[in-house]
Amino acid sequence: AAIRSRCLFLKLNFSYQQAKLDEKMQAQIAGLGRRLGALLYDWFLMLAIWILTCFVWFPIQGEAVTGPALTTVLALEMAVFYAFCWIRHGETLGMRAWRIRLVNAEGKSPTVKNVVIRLLTAPPSLLCFGIGYLWFYVSKSEQALPDYLSQTFVVYLENNR
């Protein structure tokens, strides 16, 4: 399903454990502001998780909390957090607060392949002066570069859950 513009509405099927199955919801492409807001919320959550990890790491190492092993653990925590949330629910806690969701072209939660590609392309897109996310304004389908490469869409859910 090709998405032409922000004004084009999609009928997407979402199933919730608490709500009726196959509930019809209208969605449109989420703007960059909502995406950044959700990212900020998620970073606060990740910061709390990382602080707990460092509290556990300090007694184990018995020295200052630094080094490549800790950095690797923190990066893996973030990757697992996003992968789990996107594959299981299609959204993170921050995305839920901003009423946005990650979906594949069929309007369903992304596959493992979609998520792995997205996780590998999102950091370079952000670190290269955000060019991968500014692609959102150039792309006809209004996808950021990680969205395009992973064949996913970030949509704003119009209806109440």
Side-chain angles (χ1 to χ4, degrees), residues 62-154:
E63 57 188 48
V65 182
T66 60
L70 178 63
T71 304
T72 302
V73 168
L74 298 179
L76 284 174
E77 282 179 344
M78 181 175 271
V80 168
F81 166 75
Y82 278 105
F84 175 79
C85 291
W86 285 337
I87 291 168
R88 176 108 190 226
H89 304 289
E91 61 191 359
T92 62
L93 189 59
M95 293 171 81
R96 179 170 283 232
W98 284 88
R99 295 178 49 195
I100 61 177
R101 174 170 280 189
L102 182 68
V103 296
N104 61 17
E106 291 82 35
K108 299 179 181 174
S109 291
T111 63
V112 173
K113 178 183 173 186
N114 296 133
V115 169
V116 168
I117 293 170
R118 188 174 175 82
L119 286 172
L120 292 174
T121 58
S125 294
L126 189 61
L127 294 175
C128 294
F129 306 106
I131 291 174
Y133 287 94
L134 294 176
W135 182 262
F136 173 83
Y137 292 109
V138 179
S139 170
K140 290 180 182 178
S141 62
E142 297 188 69
Q143 291 174 289
L145 194 57
D147 300 332
Y148 176 76
L149 295 174
S150 66
Q151 299 175 344
T152 58
F153 298 91
V154 179

Side-chain angles (χ1 to χ4, degrees), residues 5 17 21 33 39 42 44 47 54-55 91 95 101 117 121 139 142-143 147 156:
S5 72
Q17 292 176 353
L21 293 176
L39 184 64
D42 289 336
F44 283 128
L47 181 62
C54 290
F55 278 131
E91 61 191 359
M95 293 171 81
R101 174 170 280 189
I117 293 170
T121 58
S139 170
E142 297 188 69
Q143 291 174 289
D147 300 332
Y156 169 59

